[in-house]
Amino acid sequence: MEIEILAPCGGGESLTAAVRCGANAVYLGTKDMNARRGADNFDFAQLKKATEYAHARGVKVYVTLNTLISDAEMSAAHDIVKNSLTCGVDAFIVQDLGLVKMMRECFPTAKLHASTQCSVNTPDGFRALEELGFARAVIPREMSLDEIKEIRKSTEMELEIFVHGALCMCVSGQCYLSGMLGGRSGNRGLCAQPCRLAFSADNSGSCDLSLKDLSLISHIKEIEGAGVISLKIEGRMKRPEYVAAAVTACKKAINGEYTINDENVLQSVFSRSGFTDGYFTGKRRDMFGTRQKEDVVAAAGVLKDLSHLYDNENPLLPIDFDFICRDGKPTKLTATALDKTVTVTGDAPEKAINKPMTGESVAARLSKLGGTQFFANKINVTLDEGLIVPASAVNSLRRDAVSALEKSEVPAFTARDYTAPKPRFKSGTPYFTARFERASQIPENHPFRRIFLPIWTEAGEFAKSGAGVEIPRGLFGCGERLKKDLKRLKAAGVKTALCGNFGAYKTAKELGFEVYGDFGLNIFNSESAVQFDSPILSFELTLEQANRIAADDVGIIGYGKLPLMITRNCPVKNRIGCDKCKKQGTLTDRKGYKFSVKCSSYPCVEILNPLPVYLGDRISEINTDFVHFYFTDEAKDEVSDLVKMYKNGDKFSAKYTRGLYYRGVK
């Protein structure tokens, strides 16, 4: 399969820029339920026109439905899918596994692409996506070339990779920072990018969560060699000139023509202190940067020239003509392009009085394709002697043939109605579960029905406490190590596993563990919840939404310093180094709050909210089956006190937060 350049389109002008500069596919959002709700986006009339325009130029259209969907929104999501298919779109980029379930049941012919927001980062995870019916998956930005090759061996799905654009500090789909701090959720398409502000590891006011922009365009040949078939450009919020520059650069790289001058143009149009390829190469030291004044000023010098790249139609598509002119018969022109063939007819030719037409003169007329997306490729002329057809008639046949080729037919699709599950209302006091950072935190005679310890805990501690294993969400390059560790723990008698990663859930199940779903699965609706055992719901749900989830045995995090980010590149290590950190790292924001940074022997670090969530004095309002306690740095006595407070319905004595349970996210 020919490698695909996949361009972002936040609006109509970006679509034009992408197509005219040579993109093979575009991705765009409707007005709702996409990860860039702040872009112009497309209503359905605009989407239909956009799809017709793109298809007439051999360009595919992928619709982004890559946000978490609430129960109340699932019917609207159903309508978006149906209307988009009516417009003829080629595929949907999806995050929410509940939405996936609905689409497989209601629109079985719809093509699904797994968003990087799915947070899958192991071979087992990609196999699980394939089993769910995805035709393609987007590779996480944090993966190295060797890790990408490992994924390629594990699945028959098409693979897509981001090759240019903004780079988030957090693993996609696992960032709750914007939602928790300001109610604008990245999982819901309204990230406010607070990570670009001051979060300092050394109290200097530095921006230690802000990465440079990604650019892998110089590595495209390596990417192609690794079996990736789609090169994705980030930037639906960026201007059309940026889209034009990035698409043009990718085309040049595919053709082996990309130079340092092209990279300089890209850096001028938009960057944050330059570009990085640190994750791809495994060299992650020099990846941090912010938008500087010189970055902004540089754009002024290149935007005008870039805008001219898409002033007019570029003849990017070959068209073949077969012209037949026989004495006494209607003139016939057959044209082939865009994987289809059309035939148009005209009047019969006349006898030439003076100069009869020639094959060369007909070919010259048919080649006049200026102002269209086509260029003449093969022209075959069959012509009886002594005949003539007016030049205007040949031109008209050519125009009619091109017009017929441009008309797109919407493929037939299956559509079934959607019936939302009825909300579940439960009464009674929820039971308790917990995760602990260390076994020494676990009180004797604790009330927790299930408890979990991190996978790196000594095997003997599991046996003493009867704990299950908590599997980390960041597993880059650790698929085999995870299996080895789980087998070791299983041999030591560990029977249960708590999994916040779709791939880990599959791995643990296949190894015979009793598996429970953790918050990292982003379970936001009933359709998602029924796919996992005893899942902990997303803490971006309101309490009312959580209470109404129609699934058996679901819970919420009712206490704990919530993990707001998981990142492969440690911000503390980058700023002050591991020697000074001594596993006690923190980030201080501009308001003076300190966010703990927790590292482990696995690849990623967790960044915790400075204040714990607490709902103990509101327990009568919690109607989920269980409440999960997320213990991090609490001592054993504190754990016991917290449990007692919950049982008594006491107020919390220190600073705390209700999280998003009463305010929700946009």
Side-chain angles (χ1 to χ4, degrees), residues 119-122 124-126 128 475 482 501-508:
S119 305
V120 170
N121 47 50
T122 63
D124 276 356
F126 279 80
L475 295 166
L482 173 64
N501 176 284
F502 194 40
Y505 197 94
K506 176 180 173 65
T507 301

Side-chain angles (χ1 to χ4, degrees), residues 2 21 35 37 53-54 129 131 215 222 257 315 420 449 537 555 609:
E2 183 181 347
C21 289
R37 282 161 62 195
Y53 173 82
L129 291 175
E131 290 168 6
S215 192
E222 295 167 82
E257 300 168 354
R449 186 178 297 185
L537 303 175
N609 199 46

Side-chain angles (χ1 to χ4, degrees), residues 262-291:
D262 298 310
E263 183 172 318
N264 290 338
V265 169
L266 272 180
Q267 188 166 317
S268 295
V269 74
F270 194 93
S271 76
R272 291 179 174 90
S273 308
F275 297 140
T276 180
D277 59 4
Y279 286 134
F280 184 82
T281 62
K283 300 174 182 177
R284 299 192 288 270
R285 292 187 62 85
D286 186 29
M287 291 184 64
F288 292 78
T290 57
R291 187 87 167 134

Side-chain angles (χ1 to χ4, degrees), residues 323-331 347-359 361-362 381-390 394:
F323 181 86
I324 299 175
C325 184
R326 298 285 193 186
D327 190 11
K329 295 183 179 180
T331 308
D347 295 335
E350 299 177 355
K351 293 287 187 181
I353 298 174
N354 294 315
K355 188 176 180 181
M357 63 183 181
T358 64
S361 65
V362 172
V381 178
T382 302
L383 177 64
D384 286 350
E385 292 184 2
L387 302 177
I388 191 166
V389 174
V394 177

Side-chain angles (χ1 to χ4, degrees), residues 424-496:
R424 191 195 64 155
F425 297 97
K426 177 183 169 294
S427 60
T429 304
Y431 68 87
F432 296 162
T433 65
R435 67 81 70 183
F436 296 89
E437 192 73 25
R438 302 173 304 280
S440 60
Q441 297 170 288
I442 304 173
E444 294 78 13
N445 302 314
H446 63 75
F448 303 112
R449 186 178 297 185
R450 294 186 294 273
I451 61 173
F452 299 93
L453 289 168
I455 195 169
W456 46 83
T457 306
E458 289 293 328
E461 299 290 355
F462 287 95
K464 289 178 187 177
S465 61
V469 56
E470 178 196 56
I471 300 178
R473 292 174 289 154
L475 295 166
F476 300 97
C478 291
E480 290 306 312
R481 176 186 170 187
L482 173 64
K483 291 178 182 178
K484 183 178 178 180
D485 284 347
L486 288 177
K487 288 175 182 177
R488 171 179 56 84
L489 293 176
K490 196 166 191 296
V494 180
K495 297 178 180 179
T496 60

Side-chain angles (χ1 to χ4, degrees), residues 72 107 115 238 258 270 293 301 307 323 365 487-488 597:
F107 305 99
S115 169
K238 294 193 175 77
Y258 185 65
F270 194 93
K293 181 180 178 181
S307 68
F323 181 86
R365 287 287 172 190
K487 288 175 182 177
R488 171 179 56 84
V597 179

